[in-house]
Amino acid sequence: MNNYTRILREHNLKATPQRLAMANVLHVDGHISIESLYAVMIEKFTSISLATIYKNINLMVENSFIQEVKIPHAKSVYELTKDTHSHIVCEKCGKVNDVSLDLSTIIDNATKQSNFKIDKTDLVLSGVCKGCQ
Amino acid sequence: MNNYTRILREHNLKATPQRLAMANVLHVDGHISIESLYAVMIEKFTSISLATIYKNINLMVENSFIQEVKIPHAKSVYELTKDTHSHIVCEKCGKVNDVSLDLSTIIDNATKQSNFKIDKTDLVLSGVCKGCQ
DNA sequence: CACTAAAGGACAATAATTATCCTTTTAGTT
DNA sequence: AACTAAAAGGATAATTATTGTCCTTTAGTG
């Protein structure tokens, strides 16, 4: 049993060929939009339905196998769930990368300011990547 | 000429009654979704078209009079453009608040890590507000 | 291998957003 | 204040995005 079969099952998701392929695409691509994912998937599964993509994306998000990343002025992308991290997106080419940043002091600060009990951060930095400068 | 008339024109937007009302709603409410905005607007302009709301929102975003804030697991909200700031959203009641946080060291850190030229940050903290705890 | 719940595919239905077209209004300019 | 061009508003059609339905197939378990 390959790796993603096990991980899918740990998230209460049956390991269908379509889902395994989705997991692999997400693994290789890192961050992908619905439409791009569909474009890639239809290569392997010529008769896959867009509804299947949506249904799986939604189930996978509900079961925390993947996460949605909302990008300013662009469509959302999805990624395999990993340790907490932030994102940086290139305004020219659109590429999304992970960055590992310590936000603990920011959270402390925000807690004092707001009196919220904070349990999650979503940080997206925007700029121009090395290649596009 | 009232305040928002002037500010709208500074953003190359004609100051129509509908737009002035939108500006006031945004001012009073702080952060509002398209559907909520439409619900409020239709009280004052019983025959306003939803298309007008969309057209104005888009124009106002393009001309930097307002900004979109993407909220995890919820619809986007819009706010009048202000100095750079972050947001904190209550997972229970959905209320969105501004927080003023210094992200400069975070940006330095991310710059080193990514080699991006960073020019914008979008940070949304999630948690439970005082009232909902 | 047999059984049951779940998943896939085709496609209809909804929801969200944008485009079109024609009338009215704004913001200058006489 | 009237005149005009460009823009905006409203109605509604069209498009795009997403979800639901129904029936067939498959995964996973015993």
Side-chain angles (χ1 to χ4, degrees), chain A:
Chain A
M1 183 189 313
N2 83 47
N3 211 31
Y4 281 121
T5 298
R6 183 175 54 74
I7 302 177
L8 280 166
R9 290 191 187 159
E10 281 170 7
H11 287 86
N12 299 310
L13 298 163
K14 286 190 178 179
T16 67
Q18 291 86 345
R19 285 176 185 175
L20 287 167
M22 281 176 67
N24 276 306
V25 172
L26 285 160
H27 176 73
V28 172
D29 221 270
H31 305 88
I32 195 164
S33 68
I34 298 273
E35 63 178 349
S36 300
L37 176 59
Y38 180 57
V40 176
M41 288 294 292
I42 208 160
E43 297 295 320
K44 290 209 167 195
F45 299 84
T46 45
S47 75
I48 196 172
S49 168
L50 185 52
T52 299
I53 302 285
Y54 275 106
K55 283 186 277 195
N56 281 334
I57 285 284
N58 288 339
L59 267 176
M60 288 173 171
V61 169
E62 281 162 28
N63 295 6
S64 302
F65 176 68
I66 65 172
Q67 288 183 250
E68 180 178 4
V69 184
K70 294 198 172 191
I71 307 293
H73 309 116
K75 296 201 177 129
S76 288
V77 295
Y78 295 84
E79 65 181 3
L80 296 171
T81 299
K82 291 165 272 193
D83 290 342
T84 300
H85 60 279
S86 300
H87 294 99
I88 187 160
V89 54
C90 177
E91 290 156 348
K92 295 266 177 70
C93 68
K95 180 70 188 161
V96 178
N97 286 109
D98 293 343
V99 270
S100 180
L101 300 167
D102 178 8
L103 301 183
S104 56
T105 63
I106 299 289
I107 294 174
D108 289 349
N109 217 321
T111 301
K112 284 186 196 116
Q113 213 178 122
S114 66
N115 281 311
F116 273 55
K117 195 167 295 241
I118 298 171
D119 55 43
K120 193 164 73 77
T121 63
D122 287 273
L123 172 59
V124 181
L125 304 166
S126 301
V128 183
C129 76
K130 189 84 176 175
C132 289
Q133 278 170 32

Side-chain angles (χ1 to χ4, degrees), chain B residues 54-65:
Chain B
Y54 275 105
K55 281 186 281 194
N56 280 334
I57 286 285
N58 288 339
L59 267 176
M60 286 172 171
V61 168
E62 281 162 28
N63 295 6
S64 303
F65 177 66

